[in-house]
Amino acid sequence: MLDGLNNSDLQSLQGDLDSLTPLDIKIEMFRQGDFDFIVEGIADNSEGDWKIGDFTRHHKQENALKILTDNVFNEFLYGGAAGGAKTWTGCCWLAFSAMAYADTNWFVARNELKDLLGSVMKTFYKVFKYHGITDYKFNAQKNFIEFPNGSVINLIEVKYKPADPMFEDLGSFEYTGGWIEEVGEIHQKAVSVLGTRIGRYNNSKYGLSRKLFMTCNPKRNWAKSMFYDKHMDKSLYQDNKKLLPNGRKRPQRIYLNCLVTENPFIEQEYIDSLYSKASEDKPTYERLFKGNWDYEDNPNQLCEQECIDNVFDNFHVKEGKTYITADIALEGSDLFVIFVWKGWKVVKVLTRQVTQSAQIVSDLNYLKDQYRVSATRIMIDGDGIGAMLKGQVRAKFFRNGGKVVKKGVYTSNYRNVSVQCLYYLAREIVNNDQMWIADENLTRDQKKRIKDELSQIIRVPNKQDFSKLDTKPKGEIKSDLGFSPDYLDCMKMRVWFDLSKELDLTVVYN
Ligand SMILES: Nc1ncnc2c1ncn2[C@@H]1O[C@H](COP(=O)(O)OP(=O)(O)O)[C@@H](O)[C@H]1O
Ligand SMILES: [Mg+2]
């Protein structure tokens, strides 16, 4: 192979090799897709003289790095427990990508800059030290890390600002790739805006795919429904094969979970402290140790998680009078949902994506006739679009901001009737296993969504009047889940009939 090289060529080659630092070799390995220098090491539990057997390998991290550098996937959610090495992986990927490809532009984003500085930056410093990276500058005024080859990693805050609801501020930069840490804290809109900013800066020069890396602990939010749930029922990968309506390829998505027990580098104290924190508190244990996405650690959640899990199996719930409740939507992301009830048993759930008002009227009339429900037992969400149906459908119309029902069995001081109904639904019905959603035609997705919506009944302090009970506002629920709680609205409206049993129904709401 060295034929044709004269002595001076060989000498200069030798000189080049001599001048290579261990870091240069790591950078070249990274470029070639060999991550041994990151994922191999000595396990933390080895003490003093280490033996061959102490060498260890973080297989999940290696998989994650492969996905981060392949030409297949575009959006990658990694995580689903604490201590699996999410942050370390993100820092290694960005640092080595920036060093391996001159003049590239990367970001790491979080809800708040102070969290980036307090946690991600600390891990960057650890990674720099561990891998002997000294040649970088951190600009603390403008919050970016710069390397001598001209590459940059920007630290960006993506907090929701009412003055910029569409996150247009994020829209003007061009990046090679980026990472969103604790993505569940971030508005879905911000994530989609960031997704449009990557793949735009020297990607074709180096053959780098558009790559959005996301990390988070398990939580009930849009990331769960968009990645975890779809990963579990495999639809994530079926969706990847479908084309967009405009005939273009979809962003190729993938989810990979990683538990603390899969991280061979974890310090024993970390496991011990996580374990002692988690052992007192089941949801924390389930979420952070076992990576269970179906546990909410919010102590203010009004429905007990176990009871939420029961709503499709409460066969003991007896049938009673028939009611219909309906949440109206004509277009956009909201659903049009009708529940038909016999007592607290849901016998029929009708869901439509997009509807026209004639369709709504005919659906309602059809179900009203089929189940023989009188107009006094039909409740329609009367806010917004629902109001248009007044005069077209004989029914009651629910006003979310309406006054609480005073004569009902449940008379504490609530901000409005909607909050009152949600409290009653959670405490009296769900937590006593008194609701059975018995429609066998519900899909797995719909069931998951119903459960996620029930977990969003969350107590919050009322800012105007501390004496009043309040629940998490719908806008916040929408932004956390990524969709409107349309099923929950139908369940909430059913409560009204229980509360107002003693009232003259026609007087209060019509
Ligand atoms: N490749 C690695 N080499 C050395 N240490 C690692 C590696 N990956 C992870 N670690 C160790 O594991 C610890 C936990 O990883 P971290 O990324 O903070 O977890 P997470 O963000 O998932 O909670 C880190 O503090 C680090 O000490
Ligand atoms: Mg972390």
Side-chain angles (χ1 to χ4, degrees), residues 37-42 58 61 65 78-79 81-90 92 123 126 130-131 181-182 215 217 258 260 263-267 270:
F37 69 95
I38 297 176
V39 303
E40 278 184 351
I42 299 170
H58 195 328
Q61 187 170 52
L65 288 163
Y78 183 53
K86 302 180 294 291
T87 310
W88 190 278
T89 309
C92 284
T123 307
K126 280 194 209 166
Y130 186 94
H131 286 291
E181 169 85 317
E182 285 304 343
T215 49
N217 288 327
C258 181
V260 65
N263 177 1
F265 301 109
I266 198 78
E267 299 85 2
Y270 186 101

Side-chain angles (χ1 to χ4, degrees), residues 288-458:
L288 298 186
F289 220 94
K290 288 174 61 186
N292 186 341
W293 287 72
D294 290 309
Y295 265 85
E296 184 59 70
D297 70 338
N298 191 333
N300 294 322
Q301 178 180 316
L302 290 179
C303 293
E304 289 162 31
Q305 195 58 45
E306 243 181 293
C307 298
I308 293 180
D309 292 338
N310 290 341
V311 296
F312 301 102
D313 304 311
N314 284 330
F315 310 110
H316 54 266
V317 172
K318 293 211 172 61
E319 291 192 354
K321 287 205 170 113
T322 316
Y323 302 94
I324 287 178
T325 56
D327 192 38
I328 309 298
L330 286 180
E331 54 194 45
S333 56
D334 294 5
L335 299 176
F336 166 46
V337 182
I338 304 181
F339 274 41
V340 182
W341 304 81
K342 290 191 173 175
W344 275 96
K345 177 176 167 189
V346 182
V347 291
K348 168 90 187 158
V349 176
L350 185 140
T351 309
R352 288 195 196 280
Q353 288 286 347
V354 180
T355 24
Q356 301 199 316
S357 66
Q359 176 79 58
I360 296 174
V361 173
S362 91
D363 282 340
L364 281 166
N365 284 334
Y366 177 81
L367 290 172
K368 175 182 178 343
D369 289 349
Q370 187 187 358
Y371 290 92
R372 299 155 168 251
V373 193
S374 92
T376 54
R377 295 214 174 81
I378 301 178
M379 181 71 87
I380 296 174
D381 189 340
D383 290 349
I385 293 158
M388 283 168 32
L389 296 184
K390 285 182 187 167
Q392 292 187 59
V393 184
R394 287 186 56 231
K396 299 190 168 302
F397 287 88
F398 192 85
R399 281 181 290 138
N400 288 284
K403 285 199 180 113
V404 298
V405 180
K406 291 284 188 206
K407 279 195 191 167
V409 279
Y410 217 62
T411 52
S412 289
N413 207 8
Y414 303 95
R415 182 164 61 88
N416 56 33
V417 66
S418 180
V419 170
Q420 180 181 27
C421 289
L422 287 170
Y423 262 81
Y424 184 93
L425 176 68
R427 290 188 164 164
E428 303 300 316
I429 305 296
V430 175
N431 289 352
N432 287 321
D433 296 325
Q434 290 308 308
M435 176 169 72
W436 176 23
I437 302 180
D439 185 340
E440 284 174 357
N441 293 319
L442 282 172
T443 63
R444 243 171 93 168
D445 273 357
Q446 287 171 320
K447 287 184 178 178
K448 273 201 195 105
R449 184 163 163 168
I450 289 172
K451 287 192 198 179
D452 285 349
E453 292 185 19
L454 281 169
S455 74
Q456 288 294 326
I457 311 178
I458 291 171

Side-chain angles (χ1 to χ4, degrees), residues 43-231:
D44 181 69
N45 56 11
S46 57
E47 287 168 6
D49 296 340
W50 47 268
K51 307 171 287 301
I52 293 283
D54 294 337
F55 262 110
T56 182
R57 189 179 189 86
H58 195 328
H59 295 280
K60 272 282 169 70
Q61 187 170 52
E62 185 178 18
N63 280 346
L65 288 163
K66 282 187 177 155
I67 294 169
L68 285 169
T69 50
D70 71 13
N71 285 319
V72 181
F73 293 103
N74 308 114
E75 297 180 5
F76 172 25
L77 182 68
Y78 183 53
K86 302 180 294 291
T87 310
W88 190 278
T89 309
C91 291
C92 284
W93 174 58
L94 288 187
F96 281 98
S97 297
M99 291 186 296
Y101 306 105
D103 189 25
T104 48
N105 212 353
W106 307 83
F107 69 78
V108 48
R110 248 194 108 159
N111 196 28
E112 298 214 26
L113 186 64
K114 69 173 170 32
D115 294 331
L116 277 171
L117 297 172
S119 86
V120 178
M121 231 12 244
K122 281 191 181 145
T123 307
F124 262 121
Y125 287 132
K126 280 194 209 166
V127 166
F128 289 161
K129 191 166 171 226
Y130 186 94
H131 286 291
I133 302 165
T134 49
D135 223 0
Y136 66 89
K137 278 199 204 105
F138 177 58
N139 183 322
Q141 272 80 49
K142 296 197 172 154
N143 298 303
F144 64 86
I145 306 168
E146 196 178 8
F147 295 90
N149 67 357
S151 292
V152 165
I153 304 172
N154 278 298
L155 273 56
I156 52 182
E157 173 174 286
V158 283
K159 202 164 154 177
Y160 179 82
K161 299 186 202 90
D164 181 22
M166 301 311 279
F167 295 92
E168 280 159 9
D169 280 358
L170 298 176
S172 53
F173 295 95
E174 305 216 308
Y175 289 103
T176 317
W179 165 32
I180 308 175
E181 169 85 317
E182 285 304 343
V183 73
E185 294 170 355
I186 288 171
H187 203 287
Q188 193 177 4
K189 180 76 198 160
V191 175
S192 63
V193 171
L194 284 172
T196 65
R197 309 319 305 160
I198 51 171
R200 289 168 172 261
Y201 197 87
N202 276 342
N203 291 69
S204 47
K205 180 172 172 188
Y206 298 112
L208 298 173
S209 286
R210 195 180 83 79
K211 210 62 86 164
L212 185 63
F213 184 41
M214 290 167 272
T215 49
C216 69
N217 288 327
K219 205 167 182 334
R220 282 171 182 270
N221 54 31
W222 63 266
K224 173 179 183 286
S225 35
M226 198 157 132
F227 283 89
Y228 173 79
D229 290 342
K230 292 191 167 193
H231 163 80

